Amino acid sequence: MEKLVSSWFNVRPLPEAYVFPPEQRPGKLFFPQGKSIPVLDLGGQNRKETIQLIMKASKEFGFFQVTNHGVSKDLIDDTLALAKEFHAMPAEDKICECSKDPDRSCKLYTSSGKYATEEKHYWRDCLIHPSHSFEKYMQFWPAKPVRYREVIGKYSIEVRKLSSKILELLSEGLKLSSGYFSSDLSESPILLINHYPPCPDPSLTLGLARHRDPGVVSIVLQGDVHGLQVFKDEEWIGVEPIPHAFVVNIGYVLQIISNGKLKGAEHRVVTNSTDARTTVSFFVYPSNDSLIEPEKALVNACDPPIYRALKFKDFHVDFLSKSADAEAVQKFISSRSIY
Ligand SMILES: O=C(O)CCC(=O)C(=O)O
Ligand SMILES: [Fe+2]
């Protein structure tokens, strides 16, 4: 395997393979206070009001944070601690812990996962595995650190409940039936444990390139280190770390189902020179054979489908081949596509 950045991050200067062309570099790393993505209190009593706020945030930003979400602070702290402990292990141990499944359901990679073919590498290592079902996949999760399966198992259950709560609010806001998303549309969630070590020159490189997420929604635990940014009105907005809050964003699948009423926002990760940043992303994914298309109840003669029907696996394979290129993905999913 190519070398994990966490194994050599203190090498100086930043190697050429990580230096992005000037137009893709992060530019300003710090942003004036003021512009920020919405923060929603999910513990509020008024469900109607919560739905209005979540719909407004999903339409205008495609990104928001949630507090009072029902996942305990202790579990969040334990999860982040385990995530950091995993990436702090020696490379041989990490590789060994992620090599148990011949079908590679659990993988450790560096950069984007396309190391051999990408032009530049990202300053990031990533552990990725299915979050459910436990019966099928937990046996392939890392068994070291020793509490990994116990803590990440509990976290997977709680964050999945939170995703269902959020999807219930969104389906009500879209006037879809209750339980709309608790179907094959949310059957195959995955977890990514991202790690961005301190970087010798954060102004020249990226932790993750500008992208939209592929799934229904993503729920990200970003800890207390800055780095995530959202592109809004032609500028990058930093997502302020709020202790124990989750960052939620709309993925392509929900954009397609809602026929563009809700839109995924482009985001990226910048690095810093002093603090390692470890984050946990939970992606709500449909099963591979789910048909993803604009929901019939949301289209009509005046509002025709702007996306075509695709099996999730076909969309996903294509997405992975062109994830950073929003225009290419848009072309592929468009109802006017000539594929
Ligand atoms: O690490 C982060 O803050 C965000 C990660 C992300 O965008 C992703 O996993 O798709
Ligand atoms: Fe993302």
Side-chain angles (χ1 to χ4, degrees), residues 192 194 196 208 211 213 220 228 267 269 277 279 281 283:
L192 285 80
N194 300 297
Y196 314 89
L208 258 186
H211 69 283
D213 290 349
V220 180
L228 179 59
H267 54 286
V269 175
R277 183 166 182 271
T279 66
S281 304
F283 286 178

Side-chain angles (χ1 to χ4, degrees), residues 55-321:
M55 288 299 285
K56 186 166 165 18
S58 303
K59 285 177 183 168
E60 286 179 13
F61 287 80
F63 245 91
F64 51 91
Q65 304 209 54
V66 293
T67 58
N68 267 320
H69 40 61
V71 183
S72 83
K73 290 186 175 171
D74 284 351
L75 182 57
I76 289 176
D77 291 342
D78 273 2
T79 300
L80 281 173
L82 254 296
K84 289 175 192 169
E85 245 181 81
F86 173 83
H87 282 288
M89 294 196 307
E92 312 81 79
D93 290 4
K94 287 186 273 194
I95 292 165
C96 168
E97 291 306 314
C98 300
S99 312
K100 296 174 184 158
D101 183 1
D103 289 336
R104 302 203 70 214
S105 64
C106 177
K107 276 183 296 214
L108 176 67
Y109 60 86
T110 193
S111 188
S112 72
K114 290 182 286 186
Y115 196 88
T117 52
E118 67 199 5
E119 276 172 30
K120 293 290 175 187
H121 305 314
Y122 305 117
W123 196 257
R124 168 224 199 194
D125 294 338
C126 179
L127 160 64
I128 182 169
H129 61 67
S131 161
H132 289 78
S133 73
F134 293 164
E135 297 71 34
K136 189 165 171 197
Y137 294 115
M138 201 189 255
Q139 58 184 312
F140 303 123
W141 291 9
K144 260 171 58 179
V146 281
R147 294 184 64 223
Y148 187 90
R149 292 183 186 174
E150 174 205 332
V151 172
I152 301 300
K154 277 190 198 150
Y155 181 77
S156 296
I157 293 172
E158 292 306 313
V159 80
R160 193 180 202 190
K161 277 191 213 157
L162 172 60
S163 69
S164 304
K165 200 191 277 186
I166 291 169
L167 285 170
E168 270 301 286
L169 294 167
L170 288 171
S171 52
E172 202 170 322
L174 287 166
K175 304 201 167 34
L176 300 174
S177 55
S178 166
Y180 182 87
F181 291 99
S182 41
S183 59
D184 58 335
L185 289 173
S186 57
E187 202 174 281
S188 307
I190 60 162
L191 267 184
L192 285 80
I193 318 259
N194 300 297
H195 184 67
Y196 314 89
C199 175
D201 196 340
S203 68
L204 300 179
T205 195
L206 291 165
L208 258 186
R210 177 179 184 145
H211 69 283
R212 291 186 174 90
D213 290 349
V216 184
V217 287
S218 307
I219 302 196
V220 180
L221 186 56
Q222 71 155 342
D224 53 7
V225 183
H226 283 88
L228 179 59
Q229 301 178 340
V230 180
F231 197 64
K232 165 91 174 126
D233 299 334
E234 300 306 306
E235 62 176 341
W236 290 100
I237 307 178
V239 179
E240 195 64 29
I242 300 176
H244 302 109
F246 288 100
V247 181
V248 182
N249 70 288
I250 306 298
Y252 272 116
V253 168
L254 187 49
Q255 182 172 322
I256 294 172
I257 290 173
S258 70
N259 201 33
K261 290 177 178 56
L262 309 183
K263 282 205 178 75
E266 288 189 295
H267 54 286
R268 69 179 184 183
V269 175
V270 299
T271 62
N272 76 80
S273 58
T274 50
D275 300 312
R277 183 166 182 271
T278 307
T279 66
V280 182
S281 304
F282 176 87
F283 286 178
V284 176
Y285 270 10
S287 59
N288 270 333
D289 288 321
S290 295
L291 192 67
I292 309 302
E293 61 184 333
E295 162 55 42
K296 304 256 179 331
L298 300 180
V299 297
N300 55 47
C302 309
D303 197 357
I306 57 174
Y307 304 112
R308 66 194 177 111
L310 279 164
K311 272 196 181 168
F312 181 65
K313 69 174 168 217
D314 296 334
F315 163 67
H316 198 217
V317 166
D318 187 79
F319 172 85
L320 291 175
S321 73

